[in-house]
Amino acid sequence: MGGLGSDAAIEAADVVLMTDEPSKIAQAIHIARRTHGIARQNVTFAIGIKLAVLGLAACGLATMWLAVFADVGVTVLAVLNAMRALRSS
């Protein structure tokens, strides 16, 4: 395809192997599955905490500080959980 075709293929592709080692595909799949799992954990945790605080607020038991924790605190915890993906496995 030449130089221009290669650039177009790289920009259009979801995954690009930059080496001549097809065995890296297995490693990429492992990383993708692990990242997907961590993202699902974060979403489930965040929605669960926010629903719990919403339920408490409907009963009149939630304070403003609890709502702030449900928003900002859960975000910080999700970021810390996502940092696990930086570890090599």
Side-chain angles (χ1 to χ4, degrees), residues 7 44 81 84 88:
D7 290 339
T44 303
N81 186 37
R84 291 185 310 133
S88 61

Side-chain angles (χ1 to χ4, degrees), residues 16-79:
V16 176
L17 293 176
M18 300 301 287
T19 65
D20 293 331
E21 298 176 46
S23 61
K24 299 259 182 168
I25 293 173
Q27 183 182 6
I29 290 172
H30 174 73
I31 292 169
R33 286 184 178 158
R34 184 166 183 216
T35 303
H36 186 258
I38 291 172
R40 290 186 82 169
Q41 288 173 4
N42 284 341
V43 168
T44 303
F45 177 68
I47 290 175
I49 294 295
K50 290 182 187 225
L51 286 175
V53 171
L54 181 65
L56 289 173
C59 296
L61 300 174
T63 64
M64 180 61 76
W65 287 109
L66 189 60
V68 168
F69 173 75
D71 188 41
V72 178
V74 170
T75 301
V76 171
L77 292 175
V79 168

